[in-house]
């Protein structure tokens, strides 16, 4: 198993920050069309994603992944897709699903659960394609 370097942890933090920014932008753009429950869910996932980003930036421990480079490349591609998708996304439930998968990925990374990280990445990719 490979250990993440400081540079890679910073990359992860930047990805989560970019994802959080897209979530926040989506919520602001669609605020008038969201139900209270939808707004609450998006607000919670936005906040949690920002927390993960902050925690990654300050974390001194190393992360362990089976294939660090491939996982970071996958997350980079997903981040780019989400940034594009959120701008034109009309389906609020899809926005909530994507946000939820981002938070699940963050939780998987912080628990050092390699299988959960892989599953979370796959679920996030699937939610973007759906």
């Amino acid at each position: 198993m490979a250990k993440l370097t400081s540079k890679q942890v910073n990359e992860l933090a930047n990805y989560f920050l970019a994802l959080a920014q897209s979530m926040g932008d989506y919520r602001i753009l669609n605020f008038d069309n969201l139900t209270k429950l939808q707004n609450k869910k998006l607000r919670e996932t936005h906040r949690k994603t920002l927390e993960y980003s902050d925690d990654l930036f300050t974390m001194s421990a190393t992360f362990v992944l089976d294939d660090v480079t491939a996982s970071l490349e996958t997350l980079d591609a997903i981040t780019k897709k989400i940034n594009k998708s959120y701008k034109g996304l009309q389906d609020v439930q899809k926005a909530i699903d994507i946000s939820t998968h981002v938070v699940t990925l963050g939780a998987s990374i912080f628990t050092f659960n390699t299988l959960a990280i892989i599953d979370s990445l796959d679920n996030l990719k699937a939610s973007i394609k759906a």
Side-chain angles (χ1 to χ4, degrees):
M1 287 195 197
K3 291 182 181 179
L4 286 173
T5 65
S6 288
K7 182 180 176 189
Q8 291 168 324
V9 171
N10 282 331
E11 283 182 62
L12 280 170
N14 282 318
Y15 293 143
F16 274 84
L17 180 59
L19 292 166
Q21 288 169 337
S22 290
M23 287 176 201
D25 290 346
Y26 180 84
R27 188 170 157 247
I28 289 168
L29 287 171
N30 294 281
F31 188 81
D32 293 335
N33 300 321
L34 300 174
T35 66
K36 286 183 180 183
L37 183 60
Q38 291 169 332
N39 186 41
K40 180 181 181 215
K41 182 64 176 174
L42 286 170
R43 183 179 67 244
E44 289 171 352
T45 56
H46 177 236
R47 180 186 45 76
K48 192 64 181 171
T49 304
L50 280 172
E51 287 175 12
Y52 285 142
S53 176
D54 288 344
D55 290 347
L56 283 166
F57 277 122
T58 59
M59 183 171 254
S60 60
T62 59
F63 293 105
V64 179
L65 295 172
D66 280 334
D67 185 356
V68 173
T69 302
S71 295
L72 288 175
E73 288 171 1
T74 299
L75 190 53
D76 179 44
I78 289 171
T79 300
K80 288 175 182 169
K81 284 182 186 176
I82 289 175
N83 286 339
K84 288 180 185 176
S85 297
Y86 264 125
K87 286 181 172 72
L89 194 58
Q90 300 298 315
D91 184 348
V92 174
Q93 187 57 51
K94 184 172 180 175
I96 291 171
D97 291 345
I98 291 169
S99 298
T100 301
H101 289 300
V102 169
V103 170
T104 302
L105 175 61
S108 300
I109 291 169
F110 278 95
T111 60
F112 303 99
N113 186 333
T114 305
L115 293 176
I117 293 168
I118 293 167
D119 286 344
S120 297
L121 280 170
D122 289 343
N123 290 336
L124 183 54
K125 283 192 290 189
S127 71
I128 294 167
K129 291 179 185 177

